[in-house]
Amino acid sequence: AQKITQTQPGMFVQEKEAVTLDCTYDTSDPSYGLFWYKQPSSGEMIFLIYQGSYDQQNATEGRYSLNFQKARKSANLVISASQLGDSAMYFCAMREGGYTGRRALTFGSGTRLQVQP
Amino acid sequence: DGGITQSPKYLFRKEGQNVTLSCEQNLNHDAMYWYRQDPGQGLRLIYYSQIVNDFQKGDIAEGYSVSREKKESFPLTVTSAQKNPTAFYLCASRSILGQAGPGELFFGEGSRLTVL
């Protein structure tokens, strides 16, 4: 079974508008972390935001926020005030077992976001 | 500046040849990882290492080999046994112990391997 599911292969958004990228996850581990990365066309992976399974508040980093709904096992990324430079692939990822978990991150298949002027 | 350096950035290989991708980090990170990315897809874990002289298979280790003789280096060899090696390869690292923060992975810029 897929551990990370991103159901939107591609999304379009107008510049300056907000956009939500969906991510659902599957784990039976009570301790886990959820990450979002951005991959521009150049290929590097840029860390955006993190949410721990025990965190009470939704994570925010500048224009990025994470809508964490634990009961629904969803961790959607919200980008406010979209900019042309936000056009990229976005990946949701999970690490099970807490901070010192042995496993690496498991990634979803990604969502390609295109910001239109 | 601290970071992860992957080389070469682009590599062409004939079928039947082994090729080694280099990954060096000066972040003093304990754990290092190799991922493979195919066009339009997510990242899949090949191998990872949490300490020198120890490494573990990931989800798609067949046809690949690694070594971890030094903390800062984690080279990946794509062997002739790998049936479909054309892909984008990403190396990453993170600190495990004694560090604050979420322990996110730091990535290199990737190596694009094409088999002719």
Side-chain angles (χ1 to χ4, degrees), chain B residues 96-110:
Chain B
I96 295 180
L97 299 175
Q99 295 287 328
E104 71 271 25
L105 295 185
F106 292 79
F107 283 86
E109 294 186 340

Side-chain angles (χ1 to χ4, degrees), chain A residues 78-90:
Chain A
V78 180
I79 305 175
S80 63
S82 297
Q83 302 172 356
L84 295 178
D86 293 336
S87 294
M89 282 288 286
Y90 288 81

Side-chain angles (χ1 to χ4, degrees), chain A residues 23-39:
Chain A
C23 173
T24 58
Y25 60 92
D26 182 27
T27 182
S28 57
D29 197 322
S31 180
Y32 54 89
L34 297 157
F35 299 77
W36 277 92
Y37 280 83
K38 172 184 178 181
Q39 186 181 42

Side-chain angles (χ1 to χ4, degrees), chain B residues 59-73:
Chain B
D59 302 315
I60 55 165
E62 185 175 350
Y64 299 98
S65 67
V66 293
S67 63
R68 186 85 186 277
E69 297 176 2
K70 299 186 295 182
K71 185 176 183 178
E72 57 271 21
S73 178

Side-chain angles (χ1 to χ4, degrees), chain B residues 46-112:
Chain B
I46 306 173
Y47 267 99
Y48 66 103
S49 167
Q50 298 204 106
I51 195 169
V52 174
N53 292 325
D54 184 60
F55 48 82
Q56 308 294 329
K57 291 183 179 180
D59 302 315
I60 55 165
E62 185 175 350
Y64 299 98
S65 67
V66 293
S67 63
R68 186 85 186 277
E69 297 176 2
K70 299 186 295 182
K71 185 176 183 178
E72 57 271 21
S73 178
F74 192 41
L76 174 73
T77 297
V78 185
T79 75
S80 56
Q82 169 50 233
K83 294 190 184 348
N84 186 17
T86 294
F88 187 55
Y89 291 89
L90 283 156
C91 179
S93 71
R94 75 174 177 115
S95 180
I96 295 180
L97 299 175
Q99 295 287 328
E104 71 271 25
L105 295 185
F106 292 79
F107 283 86
E109 294 186 340
S111 293
R112 193 169 300 279

Side-chain angles (χ1 to χ4, degrees), chain A residues 47-97:
Chain A
F47 167 67
L48 297 177
I49 196 166
Y50 167 82
Q51 181 85 42
S53 59
Y54 295 118
D55 293 345
Q56 297 295 315
Q57 306 268 358
N58 284 347
T60 60
E61 288 287 348
R63 293 186 300 111
Y64 304 109
S65 61
L66 203 152
N67 184 1
F68 181 47
Q69 298 187 46
K70 196 170 182 177
R72 297 180 59 188
K73 292 189 175 179
S74 75
N76 299 338
L77 177 70
V78 180
I79 305 175
S80 63
S82 297
Q83 302 172 356
L84 295 178
D86 293 336
S87 294
M89 282 288 286
Y90 288 81
F91 291 98
C92 181
M94 176 174 65
R95 179 171 60 240
E96 296 168 282

